[in-house]
Amino acid sequence: MSYRHFRLEYDTDDLAWLQVDVADRTVNVLSAEVLDEFSRVLEDVSTHSPAGLVILSGKDNGFIAGADVSEFTRIENREEALAHIERGQRCMDALEALPFPSIALIHGFCMGGGTELALACDYRLALDDPTTVIGLPEIRLGIHPGFGGTLRAIETLGVRHAMDMMLSGRAIKAHQARRMGLVDDCVPERQMFAAARHFLRQRPPRRRAGWLDRILGSRPVRPLLARWLARKTNRKAPRDHYPAPYALIDLWREHAGNRQNMLAAEAASVARLITGDTANNLIRVFFLQERLKQAGRQVRDESRHVHVIGAGVMGGDIAAWCALKGFTVSLQDQSPERIAPAIGRAWKTIQRKLRDPRLVRGTMDRLIADADGYGLAKADIVIEAVFEDLDVKTTLLREIEPRMRPDALLATNTSSIPLEELEKALKHPDRLVALHFFNPVARMQLVEISSAPATSETSRTHIASFATRLSKLPVAVRSSPGFLVNRVLMPYMLEAVQLYEEGVSKQTIDREARRFGMPMGPLELADTVGLDICLSVANILSQRLGMPVPGKLGEMVDLGLTGRKNGQGFYVWHKGRPQKERDGKAGDANDVQDRLILRLLNEVARCLSEGIVDDPDLLDAGIVFGTGFAPFTGGPVHYMQHVGIDTVAARLDELAQRYGERFARDAWFQRQLDGE
Ligand code: NAI
């Protein structure tokens, strides 16, 4: 029989080889149509009764990427959701119930529904390659596995590994997957088929959780472990904002040990979650992320050599990241002594990321200290990250332009100097772009891309593609002070300083921001960024946009309090952690939260009015990925629409009356209220 998404063949050993190759898609996804066909395939295989079934992917990039997330957005109610989930469960149950052994051969990514399918097989083999990653990332979409994955992950891996994997949504590499028992073996490509045959012929016992996990899963112990898991989860994802992890823990606590009940409860739980606000918003954020990635796919960047000038905090880390992503990197600064610390830091980052000494050495070999700037003439892309000073930057640009290849791109990492000023230093400004990374480079996913009036379209699309190759999410922003992210963050941080100046305790201020859903409080963030840097960005924004800067910030910098880097800022820092002792007055919690968040939202409105980004969705994407703004809200604009533009506007008016002009709402609100 022939299928649209599968190829089924039988070999002379009487083994069935089933290739998943979803039509018209670059990756395998388990849409409803694919699942229906999979059911028919399984019936077909059953009637042949082969000696075993091998499931593998026909795509180069990976096994199965998971369910088709776009279908989630079309689900209208719980009944529809339940029908969809039960369809998936039936497929996996049928696969598990086959009267002959089955094995999944996993290469590249194997995520969500793909992992659930693999877990329904008797055995799993992973290709021994750095690109192999296996995960159950559903929690990041506000749900948990629904195709029997919670049950089978716990049965196979034991509750500790399975919960860790599902609650974190973490992707597991091949060797670790073998150590955890997620796969039975991890083999090189040339041995994959022979190993599959071996498993199907020998039929070793299936992987099962060990005795300790079985005890932990027993009825009397379950509530204790469940409580511990919930407490641990609460630190990262509070229940009010993120219901899915708790639903998963409850599901296990109540139904572990009874397969049928667990499957039914799993389906009901996912059906409930997927139709809720949090999942809706997190799925929205997932698509916003896809949109940012798409922006980098218009052209294919073929660069190989990156030359970075300025080996400070940013330049050094940018160079390390580029090397990590496979580029040859030359790193220039005023002297070898200034480059050395950056190379030391790079080694640490690369070591932490790659672990394998051979890979670390290979990557370090690509990172070249280049005090004389020999790499400049060879580089495809030159990134400038020298002092934030117009004269220093323009002198440098004038000097390097004649030495660069005529087709090389020139990217500046400036945070605040307008590109209109920088392009004046160049003979060929069409190649100038801003590629604004965030600190710490290795952790922050977003990069802002901006252009000068003379920047060519080719340079713009090219740099976006380069950013995507660095596994960053590029967002195009208009050249304007603070671009998008710093501009939106600054009033929020300055309001925090203002509150502090008024005597409100820093604990209250930071706790209220976190209670709203921010990943870190604004005072802790200011300390982390560095109070001197905050002050200089605040002064620039204040000059150009009239943002008032509370005197306290300057006073603290004058006293030498720069935050985390010298151990003293709003907090005293010890071993990289702020010491949170009690201080100041508690303040009215709701008022504190509103003052912080509404300053941010008002600035968001201003950015929309000024066209800093092309549309509200891009703004939400930029702010969620650039600041960690409460992802469960779907982004600041989406949040305002959800609570009501009129409600936000009325509260701003109230705050403006009490606290003054800085809360005066932007005209964007009125336009929205007038339905324009
Ligand atoms: P930094 O002061 O740590 O490093 C600047 C480096 O540039 C120094 O090592 C200096 O020796 C070198 N340099 C200065 N003039 C040079 C020249 N003519 N030739 C070669 N090297 C030269 O500064 P940081 O913080 O790394 O900032 C660099 C750029 O990145 C600035 O434009 C800044 O606005 C931007 N930026 C900074 C962020 C941060 O959090 N620090 C975040 C995002 C962007």
Side-chain angles (χ1 to χ4, degrees):
M1 205 181 294
S2 85
Y3 297 100
R4 196 167 132 72
H5 306 294
F6 297 87
R7 274 189 297 280
L8 179 60
E9 285 166 12
Y10 296 90
D11 69 9
T12 46
D13 288 340
D14 198 24
L15 293 180
W17 293 78
L18 178 64
Q19 246 191 36
V20 190
D21 193 354
V22 173
D24 308 326
R25 301 291 287 251
T26 49
V27 293
N28 285 328
V29 285
L30 300 177
S31 62
E33 184 190 310
V34 172
L35 285 170
D36 283 341
E37 197 173 80
F38 186 50
S39 291
R40 291 200 296 281
V41 173
L42 290 176
E43 282 168 23
D44 185 1
V45 184
S46 295
T47 55
H48 273 76
S49 217
L53 167 67
V54 186
I55 302 181
L56 66 166
S57 158
K59 309 267 189 218
D60 287 340
N61 52 15
F63 183 64
I64 296 171
D68 184 351
V69 183
S70 64
E71 283 184 351
F72 295 178
T73 58
R74 293 195 286 275
I75 290 175
E76 301 221 326
N77 51 44
R78 253 190 230 188
E79 291 70 47
E80 262 181 43
L82 199 60
H84 183 72
I85 297 156
E86 285 174 348
R87 175 192 283 120
Q89 283 199 349
R90 276 196 301 278
C91 283
M92 304 312 161
D93 289 351
L95 172 59
E96 185 183 58
L98 289 175
F100 41 83
S102 55
I103 188 164
L105 304 192
I106 301 168
H107 77 273
F109 46 76
C110 169
M111 292 289 147
T115 304
E116 294 186 89
L117 186 147
L119 283 165
C121 292
D122 295 290
Y123 309 108
R124 287 154 297 284
L125 285 182
L127 175 67
D128 183 2
D129 188 90
T131 58
T132 304
V133 281
I134 308 174
L136 288 167
E138 286 84 348
I139 217 84
R140 298 189 178 177
L141 297 181
I143 55 176
H144 57 69
F147 297 166
T150 55
L151 170 79
R152 295 190 181 96
I154 293 169
E155 282 179 349
T156 311
L157 303 177
V159 62
R160 290 169 304 161
H161 282 319
M163 278 294 181
D164 175 50
M165 185 174 167
M166 291 188 282
L167 289 172
S168 68
R170 206 154 49 86
I172 314 276
K173 298 218 163 114
H175 281 275
Q176 199 195 348
R178 180 178 53 188
R179 280 197 298 275
M180 284 167 58
L182 178 56
V183 296
D184 296 272
D185 208 349
C186 168
V187 291
E189 190 167 5
R190 64 195 145 75
Q191 287 169 10
M192 202 72 165
F193 292 170
R197 286 202 169 87
H198 169 83
F199 271 93
L200 294 181
R201 226 177 285 132
Q202 300 299 322
R203 302 190 184 191
R206 285 191 62 162
R207 286 269 182 177
R208 281 282 168 253
W211 62 269
L212 179 57
D213 281 277
R214 286 204 300 274
I215 293 173
L216 290 172
S218 64
R219 188 181 285 276
V221 187
R222 276 204 309 263
L224 298 175
L225 183 57
R227 225 178 352 232
W228 181 79
L229 284 169
R231 239 197 342 260
K232 192 163 151 242
T233 305
N234 190 43
R235 273 181 241 138
K236 284 196 188 134
R239 194 187 278 266
D240 292 349
H241 298 156
Y242 297 97
Y246 305 92
L248 171 60
I249 297 168
D250 292 348
L251 172 69
W252 170 74
R253 191 194 55 221
E254 283 164 34
H255 302 286
N258 183 329
R259 289 193 116 221
Q260 281 324 309
N261 286 359
M262 179 111 172
L263 284 174
E266 179 196 70
S269 170
V270 177
R272 192 179 59 249
L273 291 167
I274 210 167
T275 45
D277 281 343
T278 299
N280 252 314
N281 290 339
L282 290 176
I283 290 166
R284 167 183 161 75
V285 169
F286 171 82
F287 282 110
L288 292 177
Q289 179 174 15
E290 290 299 298
R291 184 171 166 200
L292 295 186
K293 284 186 189 161
Q294 209 51 44
R297 292 194 187 123
Q298 286 167 332
V299 292
R300 218 181 129 73
D301 169 57
E302 307 275 355
S303 326
R304 286 147 64 131
H305 184 157
V306 181
H307 184 74
V308 181
I309 310 180
V313 176
M314 293 305 286
D317 289 4
I318 293 168
W321 189 255
C322 291
L324 196 60
K325 291 291 156 181
F327 292 88
T328 299
V329 185
S330 38
L331 178 57
Q332 181 183 349
D333 204 301
Q334 290 159 328
S335 66
E337 293 73 39
R338 285 188 181 250
I339 305 177
I343 301 281
R345 258 193 353 262
W347 189 83
K348 276 196 192 142
T349 308
I350 291 167
Q351 167 89 3
R352 203 179 54 235
K353 291 270 172 198
L354 298 177
R355 298 232 168 90
D356 180 339
R358 268 176 319 153
L359 297 177
V360 174
R361 211 173 317 119
T363 306
M364 286 306 289
D365 284 350
R366 284 198 300 274
L367 176 59
I368 306 150
D370 180 19
D372 297 315
Y374 292 124
L376 188 58
K378 295 191 215 129
D380 303 285
I381 297 185
V382 176
I383 301 177
E384 164 293 294
V386 299
F387 299 134
E388 186 73 350
D389 180 291
L390 180 62
D391 284 342
V392 174
K393 289 208 195 266
T394 45
T395 311
L396 178 85
L397 295 188
R398 245 182 240 119
E399 190 211 320
I400 61 172
E401 188 182 25
R403 294 166 56 201
M404 285 171 56
R405 264 180 25 205
D407 59 337
L409 270 185
L410 176 54
T412 168
N413 188 44
T414 180
S415 313
S416 57
I417 301 175
L419 271 81
E420 290 79 352
E421 299 289 328
L422 293 178
E423 72 170 11
K424 290 182 195 152
L426 296 172
K427 289 213 167 61
H428 301 285
D430 55 308
R431 57 160 83 176
L432 177 70
V433 281
L435 179 63
H436 185 231
F437 289 86
F438 293 91
N439 188 6
V441 174
R443 279 239 306 278
M444 299 300 289
Q445 268 191 297
L446 195 81
V447 288
E448 290 173 321
I449 289 181
S450 186
S451 43
T455 307
S456 70
E457 182 59 25
T458 322
S459 304
R460 260 197 296 263
T461 47
H462 190 163
I463 202 73
S465 167
F466 171 65
T468 312
R469 281 181 67 200
L470 291 178
S471 312
K472 298 288 175 197
L473 298 171
V475 62
V477 296
R478 229 188 64 196
S479 169
S480 145
F483 297 123
L484 174 69
V485 171
N486 284 345
R487 175 163 171 188
V488 164
L489 270 181
M490 197 42 72
Y492 155 80
M493 284 158 81
L494 293 179
E495 193 60 29
V497 179
Q498 176 73 37
L499 281 159
Y500 181 72
E501 201 173 274
E502 291 169 18
V504 178
S505 96
K506 51 192 183 234
Q507 276 77 17
T508 308
I509 299 169
D510 279 356
R511 191 194 56 229
E512 284 312 306
R514 281 198 310 273
R515 208 164 58 85
F516 176 81
M518 301 303 278
M520 188 187 270
L523 296 178
E524 188 175 340
L525 178 64
D527 268 1
T528 307
V529 171
L531 299 190
D532 48 340
I533 294 187
C534 283
L535 181 65
S536 90
V537 177
N539 283 336
I540 290 167
L541 293 185
S542 154
Q543 271 168 25
R544 304 231 171 96
L545 305 167
M547 227 175 246
V549 183
K552 188 82 192 164
L553 189 58
E555 285 167 28
M556 291 178 73
V557 174
D558 287 344
L559 287 172
L561 306 175
T562 54
R564 182 180 170 165
K565 58 188 161 193
N566 77 353
Q568 292 227 330
F570 289 103
Y571 294 96
V572 172
W573 289 73
H574 184 64
K575 292 190 178 158
R577 286 181 170 276
Q579 304 303 298
K580 299 198 170 161
E581 79 285 5
R582 291 233 144 271
D583 72 318
K585 59 185 182 201
D588 172 351
N590 286 339
D591 225 41
V592 170
Q593 190 180 84
D594 282 2
R595 281 176 61 179
L596 296 171
I597 302 303
L598 283 155
R599 287 280 312 268
L600 185 152
L601 295 177
N602 204 17
E603 203 58 37
V604 159
R606 280 202 191 105
C607 288
L608 288 172
S609 286
E610 289 176 27
I612 300 297
V613 280
D614 281 348
D615 59 65
D617 276 353
L618 271 187
L619 189 143
D620 276 350
I623 297 303
V624 169
F625 292 107
T627 72
F629 182 95
F632 68 92
T633 63
V637 185
H638 195 71
Y639 169 76
M640 288 197 272
Q641 284 158 348
H642 179 75
V643 294
I645 302 287
D646 50 347
T647 312
V648 180
R651 185 74 174 125
L652 270 169
D653 291 346
E654 216 178 292
L655 293 173
Q657 279 221 323
R658 275 180 37 212
Y659 300 106
E661 267 300 286
R662 64 184 191 281
F663 286 97
R665 64 173 145 100
D666 184 74
W668 178 84
F669 286 98
Q670 198 55 47
R671 286 199 300 277
Q672 297 297 304
L673 293 172
D674 295 343
E676 280 174 34

